[in-house]
Amino acid sequence: MNKLFNVNGISCEHCVDIIKEAVGILDGVFSVDVDIEKKQVVVEFDEKLAKTEDFVLKIEEVGFEAKL
C-alpha cells in the first residue's frame, strides 16, 4: 500500500535524509520517497505491519508537520 503525506518544513537534502531514515526503520516499510519541491512524502508499506498514524508520529518526532 502507498500513502501520501504533505509535510511542512522540508527544505533541503538533509531534511530528506532525516525523514527517510526515521520512517524507513519502521516495521513493514518498503520505501520512502521525499519530494522537496512538493513537500510530500510517499511511503510504500505493508498495512498488516504498519499504520498511517505511525508515519505521522515518526515524521513529527523528527521535527516536521505531517498531514494526509
Side-chain angles (χ1 to χ4, degrees):
M1 168 178 263
N2 287 340
K3 279 287 185 189
L4 173 89
F5 301 89
N6 292 304
V7 180
N8 290 331
I10 300 173
S11 60
C12 64
E13 286 298 324
H14 182 67
C15 298
V16 171
D17 293 341
I18 289 170
I19 293 169
K20 281 186 170 185
E21 184 177 329
V23 174
I25 63 170
L26 295 172
D27 288 340
V29 173
F30 301 125
S31 68
V32 181
D33 293 311
V34 181
D35 187 318
I36 295 173
E37 290 181 21
K38 293 181 181 178
K39 304 208 181 311
Q40 294 179 330
V41 175
V42 176
V43 181
E44 181 183 2
F45 64 101
D46 182 338
E47 65 267 23
K48 294 176 186 170
L49 299 175
K51 297 178 183 170
T52 302
E53 301 83 37
D54 298 335
F55 307 127
V56 171
L57 289 172
K58 186 55 84 171
I59 291 168
E60 290 182 347
E61 185 179 289
V62 294
F64 301 91
E65 183 182 338
K67 297 179 185 172
L68 284 172

